[in-house]
Amino acid sequence: TMALAAAYLVAYNGVCWAAWGWVFVNLCMELYLGLSSWPRVGNAVVLLQSIAFLEVVHGAVGITRTPVSAAFPQFFARGIVTFVAFSIPEVQRHTSIDVMLVAWSLTEIVRYLYYGINASWFLDPPAWLIWARYTTFLPLYPLGAIAECWLIVTSFQYQRVSPLLPPPFGTALLYFCYAYSVIIWPGLAYMYTYMLKMRKRNLSPKSGGKKQH
């Protein structure tokens, strides 16, 4: 059973790592050409953020050590932002989406590579990858949060007129996004504090290169 769980996690993280790598490469190509990235990578991002719910399940059933209290807030917050981006065409070419996707994709490329190797029964993450996993979040988490909030605030003026959001639903989402633009900051503080604790644990000399989540 443990071997099957490990094989599944290696496959899951490997697929997600490759997919986010594809997103990042295409994102860079679109930005180099002076184009907005969402038309090119948006559907892939929606799919990846939907699949990410499995990480909440992984923590709930105990096949990973990441607590649900850490996995669910990130999944939920990104899900809301992704839904807003998907539902409102007017914001899909806004600069905030490009900044957000740069932060997301860089974070996920490192995270999924680390978790994929860490889940294997024959490899240990190299020192540089452990360092990257527990260091890159320092600038990328705040950058992503700022971009997410920027996108949400930009969407306010369009939510009532979006063809995919009928008036009652659009109004409810609008008020929810008002709340989100406020609660994202204590949410960031919680995740940042959690990751700082994990950084101290995994980068301390006492960790000795042992596998940890």
Side-chain angles (χ1 to χ4, degrees):
T1 301
M2 292 181 62
L4 287 175
Y8 162 75
L9 289 174
V10 170
Y12 171 82
N13 287 291
V15 168
C16 291
W17 171 77
W20 276 107
W22 180 91
V23 168
F24 181 70
V25 169
N26 282 272
L27 166 67
C28 291
M29 290 174 61
E30 296 299 289
L31 294 179
Y32 176 76
L33 295 173
L35 303 173
S36 176
S37 60
W38 186 264
R40 175 70 173 170
V41 305
N43 288 338
V45 171
V46 171
L47 178 60
L48 285 166
Q49 289 306 128
S50 300
I51 293 173
F53 181 72
L54 289 173
E55 296 173 34
V56 181
V57 177
H58 296 164
V61 301
I63 64 172
T64 65
R65 297 179 185 177
T66 303
V68 174
S69 61
F72 182 76
Q74 182 169 340
F75 163 77
F76 184 73
R78 284 192 177 186
I80 292 297
V81 176
T82 302
F83 179 76
V84 169
F86 176 77
S87 303
I88 305 175
E90 292 87 349
V91 302
Q92 292 175 1
R93 298 183 181 277
H94 195 266
T95 304
S96 58
I97 283 193
D98 297 325
V99 176
M100 179 183 76
L101 292 182
V102 167
W104 284 10
S105 57
L106 287 174
T107 298
E108 300 299 50
I109 288 169
V110 172
R111 186 170 74 94
Y112 283 120
L113 180 60
Y114 173 80
Y115 280 156
I117 295 175
N118 202 42
S120 70
W121 56 91
F122 55 89
L123 290 175
D124 287 324
W128 67 266
L129 183 56
I130 298 174
W131 179 89
R133 167 67 182 123
Y134 294 105
T135 302
T136 54
F137 80 91
L138 292 170
L140 292 178
Y141 273 24
L143 179 63
I146 291 169
E148 290 170 30
C149 192
W150 186 11
L151 173 62
I152 290 293
V153 171
T154 300
S155 75
F156 289 164
Q157 60 185 308
Y158 302 115
Q159 289 193 31
R160 295 182 188 274
V161 297
S162 173
L164 297 180
L165 297 171
F169 184 72
T171 301
L173 181 63
L174 178 63
Y175 285 114
F176 186 87
C177 286
Y178 283 150
Y180 176 85
S181 64
V182 175
I183 65 175
I184 186 176
W185 303 113
L188 172 64
Y190 171 80
M191 287 300 300
Y192 211 73
T193 301
Y194 171 77
M195 287 299 296
L196 285 173
K197 291 179 180 178
M198 296 301 294
R199 185 176 195 270
K200 182 178 180 180
R201 179 187 304 174
N202 284 273
L203 297 186
S204 68
K206 293 181 181 180
S207 67
K210 296 180 181 178
K211 290 192 172 191
Q212 302 185 53
H213 291 271

